[in-house]
Amino acid sequence: MKNLLLLICGFILLQGCHSLDLNPLSDGSSETWNSTPEELEMSLNGLYKQVFWKKDLDDWSDDWIYRDGLTEVTNATLNGQSAFIKTWWLDTYKAIARANTIIKGADRAKDKLSVEQLNMFIAEARFVRACMYSSLLSHFGHIIYTDDILDIEQAKNLKQVEPEFVLQRIYEDFDFAIANLKTKYTTTELHRVTKGAAMAMKARIALYRGDFATARNAAKDCIDLKQYNLHTDFASLFLSSTKNSPESIFLLPRSIALNVVLDDRQNYISRNAGGWAAKDPSWDLLFSFICTDGLTVEKSPLFDPSNPFLYRDPRCKATIAAFDEPLLDYIYTPHPEALNVMKISTGTLVKNNDNRANAQYASFNGLVWKKGVDNEWLLNSWRTEPDNIIIRYADILLIYAEAKIELNEIDQTVVDAINQVRARAYGVASTSLDFPAVKLGDQHALRQILRNERRMEFALEGLRYMDLIRWKLAEKALNKPNYGLLDPADLVAKVVKTGKWFLPSAPTIDADGLPDFNQFNQQGLIKTIAIRKFDASKQYLWPIPSTEVLTSGLKQNPNY
């Protein structure tokens, strides 16, 4: 979605009463509101509040380390009283209630709108409702479904329904949106959600639910619209200066002036630049990027353990700050003997606070983020305003490829889709010989390539957690330790002086593409920072909030 900046301030007239907020109106205005196009627009604008568009946190995945801390997800302590569980549930149902109110009340404006215009308003509300139910379904599984405006007693009496029923209702909403929304908007129109966005979000929930035929078809329909293109440069796509990229199929704008921001950036920034370097990429992520010959670090003769950023897929350096290269006006290095580094703007050596010999709380594993990072992160109290991209074209290409692979419909279109994404990372056309193109292979081989391609492409975008969940890899990936560097004195003595910096060799990569550092840990060359835990007996679904189980009689998910 583009040019929604003017919509951010859209107010929500509706107020909630029930814990699920399924009864959103509490006064007589409910009987007359939405009777004009202007009122419908104001109601729709309220559906795009950032609080309604939840994203999974990278904190919940194996791409992440936050010093020695863990989350309720990665410590297997998730329960029905977890604050974010309750918030996710309630906020999403609030959005659904507001969408239902618009859909049910839109006919009040039928005398002022053409049938086509009225259906566009309804289609937009149904798009949002489908997105909200998709979020609930993929996380909680057994949820409440309603497409009506309810009084408090009716809302209290609702019971959970089968996931397949909800999925079909989601498809119906997306299909109505696809049939009635515009393909694109003119330069003089305020851009709102499009049919391409509905196709894309339908493809995503279908993939998440294992309905690969629907995912394939919806992704193909989106591709065939020919409305979207990959952003020319991978790294610049995520900067605050890049707005409304042709790759963005559905986005919500951010604005520092309107206090709709991406905040907490100080935790992500190197200490030399004034940050804390606390929330960092994991070694698991670093060593998942393939080398420029297309092979994993374990198999590639190009891999250099003393400089793990050499000869790697370009997305590696675009995602994680490379050693001995510029980062926010400093040369970045966590090397324990690099006590001073160059400040680029002055050409002088300064104390290296990204070295744990100088700063105890410098990155515990030597890594910091690069993706999306620029000098704007240092301004405005560590708040930034890059577009909040909900889904982009690279995801649709890889959804199409994955769905076809899982259906065992292996053909040239599968590798073409993957290669478009990979070639963009190298800055070349997918027909070029200057990148390690994926070749046709069997289902198993292509599945592993596709899964790792997603990891390289979407790091720090909130997609890794759900990939682990739907691939049933969370019980493996999230039951591994988070490793980091030894304390400085031991690091120098055991690693640097023995010629084993950064690592003595490449880690092994298992059949699921997950790096294994245990051999280095057993040799005393690295340090266990935190031990992740994941309980496969229950955590593939989230718990229903305890308040809903106790007060509304909802059935809790197994083993919570």
Side-chain angles (χ1 to χ4, degrees):
M1 180 180 299
K2 300 180 179 179
N3 296 341
L4 267 174
L5 191 58
L6 295 177
L7 305 184
I8 293 177
C9 291
F11 67 88
I12 295 181
L13 186 69
L14 318 177
Q15 298 298 319
C17 296
H18 182 251
S19 61
L20 282 182
D21 206 20
L22 293 171
N23 171 245
L25 296 174
S26 58
D27 55 47
S29 65
S30 63
E31 298 178 2
T32 58
W33 188 253
N34 290 330
S35 59
T36 69
E38 293 76 19
E39 290 174 350
L40 280 171
E41 281 199 3
M42 284 192 288
S43 294
L44 285 170
N45 293 350
L47 296 178
Y48 297 106
K49 288 170 64 76
Q50 189 164 247
V51 69
F52 294 146
W53 295 89
K54 309 290 188 187
K55 283 187 173 181
D56 294 314
L57 300 183
D58 294 283
D59 315 33
W60 304 335
S61 80
D62 56 344
D63 284 353
W64 181 270
I65 184 171
Y66 183 9
R67 294 178 179 158
D68 58 356
L70 295 168
T71 69
E72 290 175 284
V73 173
T74 53
N75 199 27
T77 56
L78 189 65
N79 61 71
Q81 298 181 56
S82 298
F84 80 89
I85 293 291
K86 181 178 179 180
T87 299
W88 194 295
W89 179 273
L90 293 180
D91 285 344
T92 309
Y93 273 114
K94 286 178 184 178
I96 289 168
R98 286 154 170 74
N100 285 343
T101 300
I102 295 168
I103 295 163
K104 292 296 183 180
D107 273 354
R108 297 172 191 149
K110 64 183 179 181
D111 294 337
K112 301 178 179 67
L113 294 166
S114 68
V115 172
E116 180 183 12
Q117 291 171 322
L118 185 63
N119 282 339
M120 282 183 60
F121 281 120
I122 296 172
E124 191 169 345
R126 291 186 69 169
F127 166 82
V128 173
R129 182 171 69 185
C131 290
M132 296 299 113
Y133 273 124
S134 296
S135 175
L136 290 168
L137 180 63
S138 58
H139 291 86
F140 295 97
H142 296 84
I143 61 172
I144 289 170
Y145 182 88
T146 181
D147 56 7
D148 207 348
I149 302 172
L150 307 175
D151 62 32
I152 294 175
E153 289 307 313
Q154 289 172 319
K156 285 181 178 179
N157 291 327
L158 285 177
K159 300 301 179 185
Q160 291 143 297
V161 297
E162 289 299 314
E164 184 59 29
F165 173 86
V166 179
L167 183 61
Q168 293 308 312
R169 301 292 83 74
I170 289 170
Y171 287 166
E172 289 174 9
D173 277 349
F174 279 137
D175 288 344
F176 186 89
I178 291 166
N180 291 281
L181 292 173
K182 288 188 175 184
T183 301
K184 62 180 180 180
Y185 289 85
T186 67
T187 56
T188 60
E189 292 178 296
L190 181 64
H191 291 196
R192 305 186 73 92
V193 67
T194 62
K195 65 172 71 255
M199 292 170 179
M201 296 302 285
K202 180 181 179 182
R204 174 177 282 175
I205 186 58
L207 188 78
Y208 283 8
R209 299 303 299 175
D211 182 0
F212 299 117
T214 299
R216 173 202 61 202
N217 294 342
K220 182 66 161 54
D221 288 343
C222 186
I223 293 167
D224 288 346
L225 284 177
K226 300 188 184 303
Q227 295 296 310
Y228 311 104
N229 297 290
L230 294 174
H231 196 78
T232 304
D233 176 63
F234 176 80
S236 66
L237 173 60
F238 310 100
L239 301 179
S240 295
S241 57
T242 299
K243 303 297 184 186
N244 299 324
S245 167
E247 184 166 345
S248 297
I249 298 174
F250 176 44
L251 66 83
L252 301 176
R254 293 188 175 102
S255 166
I256 290 173
L258 297 176
N259 199 33
V260 180
V261 297
L262 184 64
D263 58 11
D264 189 36
R265 296 302 91 186
Q266 192 167 20
N267 268 311
Y268 297 73
I269 293 289
S270 58
R271 297 182 76 87
N272 284 331
W276 294 330
K279 298 179 177 180
D280 303 313
S282 66
W283 282 2
D284 305 77
L285 175 61
L286 171 63
F287 292 99
S288 294
F289 288 92
I290 59 174
C291 293
T292 52
D293 56 7
L295 300 176
T296 64
V297 294
E298 180 185 32
K299 295 180 179 179
S300 174
L302 299 177
F303 179 70
D304 181 356
S306 68
N307 189 340
F309 293 91
L310 288 178
Y311 307 113
R312 305 292 296 282
D313 183 291
R315 287 167 292 191
C316 184
K317 282 188 181 183
T319 301
I320 304 172
F323 300 160
D324 303 312
E325 294 190 12
L327 177 68
L328 298 174
D329 199 32
Y330 296 86
I331 299 299
Y332 180 76
T333 177
H335 195 288
E337 293 183 322
L339 301 181
N340 297 288
V341 293
M342 179 71 69
K343 181 174 173 61
I344 297 169
S345 60
T346 63
T348 58
L349 289 176
V350 298
K351 183 179 179 181
N352 182 13
N353 286 316
D354 287 311
N355 178 326
R356 294 192 67 218
N358 287 336
Q360 178 182 358
Y361 290 102
S363 172
F364 280 23
N365 67 0
L367 306 182
V368 294
W369 292 105
K370 181 67 171 65
K371 193 171 187 177
V373 176
D374 63 11
N375 287 324
E376 291 190 23
W377 284 38
L378 309 179
L379 308 174
N380 301 299
S381 302
W382 308 100
R383 302 177 305 155
T384 62
E385 54 180 20
D387 284 344
N388 182 6
I389 301 172
I390 307 299
I391 194 164
R392 56 187 177 94
Y393 189 54
D395 202 353
I396 289 303
L397 289 171
L398 295 184
I399 286 173
Y400 173 77
E402 182 175 352
K404 293 267 287 182
I405 291 168
E406 294 304 326
L407 292 166
N408 206 18
E409 297 176 353
I410 309 299
D411 59 21
Q412 190 62 37
T413 66
V414 171
V415 295
D416 285 349
I418 300 172
N419 283 331
Q420 285 185 61
V421 176
R422 183 175 291 188
R424 185 268 299 274
Y426 284 80
V428 299
S430 59
T431 55
S432 171
L433 299 178
D434 295 328
F435 80 104
V438 176
K439 308 296 184 185
L440 280 171
D442 63 28
Q443 184 186 41
H444 175 75
L446 285 173
R447 178 184 290 132
Q448 298 313 115
I449 289 170
L450 180 285
R451 290 181 175 185
N452 201 60
E453 196 72 24
R454 286 188 63 86
R455 188 173 197 180
M456 294 189 294
E457 179 72 16
F458 299 122
L460 202 59
E461 295 184 52
L463 296 181
R464 176 65 176 173
Y465 170 74
M466 192 52 68
D467 282 351
L468 291 175
I469 293 296
R470 62 192 183 84
W471 294 333
K472 294 296 185 286
L473 284 179
E475 61 198 80
K476 187 175 185 180
L478 299 183
N479 276 314
K480 287 175 173 282
N482 228 334
Y483 291 109
L485 299 171
L486 296 175
D487 292 336
D490 286 340
L491 186 61
V492 171
K494 296 180 180 181
V495 177
V496 175
K497 296 302 184 183
T498 59
K500 296 173 182 175
W501 171 267
F502 179 68
L503 287 181
S505 63
T508 58
I509 308 295
D510 72 14
D512 292 307
L514 303 176
D516 185 352
F517 304 94
N518 186 53
Q519 59 177 319
F520 307 134
N521 188 48
Q522 291 180 342
Q523 295 166 12
L525 300 175
I526 62 175
K527 182 178 181 179
T528 298
I529 305 299
I531 299 177
R532 307 185 193 100
K533 299 175 184 176
F534 183 89
D535 187 344
S537 73
K538 59 183 180 180
Q539 277 188 261
Y540 282 108
L541 288 176
W542 284 357
I544 305 299
S546 297
T547 51
E548 302 300 334
V549 175
L550 295 173
T551 63
S552 300
L554 302 189
K555 184 179 179 181
Q556 185 57 276
N557 280 326
N559 299 317
Y560 282 105

